[in-house]
Amino acid sequence: MLTVRQSEPAFHPTGEQEVLSLNTAVFAVRRHVAGSPAVLCLTNVSSKTVTVEWEGEIDYVNILSEEGSDVVGENGRFTLTLAAYQIAWLRENIW
């Protein structure tokens, strides 16, 4: 996790961050630095599985999962299911 964090420009200390309201059980922060893809950081802070939904026009890659993206996107709507206390870091796939 630390290696991934160090390799992502969006996590630079001077980068911008925006707290998002996507689900009451999920702490969501969008981190970004000019000229690099943003990273959407999602943390399920509950003891239950939750599904997060949001709208957007960009595909995402889960940079904490070796299998690739767990995000399901269709017609500008995205969903991701997080297990209890699970974390997902989703990089905007703009390249």
Side-chain angles (χ1 to χ4, degrees), residues 2-64:
L2 288 176
T3 303
V4 172
R5 188 181 188 288
Q6 290 171 339
S7 68
E8 285 297 324
F11 289 112
H12 191 277
T14 61
E16 295 181 30
Q17 57 185 355
E18 173 186 7
V19 177
L20 306 173
S21 295
L22 302 179
N23 184 304
T24 57
V26 175
F27 179 67
V29 178
R30 183 178 181 268
R31 301 208 35 148
H32 52 99
V33 173
S36 295
V39 174
L40 180 59
C41 306
L42 304 172
T43 304
N44 180 356
V45 295
S46 77
S47 61
K48 298 179 181 174
T49 298
V50 297
T51 299
V52 184
E53 299 180 356
W54 69 97
E55 294 182 9
E57 298 179 9
I58 299 171
D59 287 331
Y60 296 86
V61 175
N62 188 341
I63 57 177
L64 290 180

Side-chain angles (χ1 to χ4, degrees), residues 62-84:
N62 188 341
I63 57 177
L64 290 180
S65 172
E66 292 183 12
E67 291 83 37
S69 181
D70 314 13
V71 178
V72 177
E74 186 175 325
N75 298 324
R77 273 207 72 66
F78 295 90
T79 60
L80 176 67
T81 299
L82 296 169

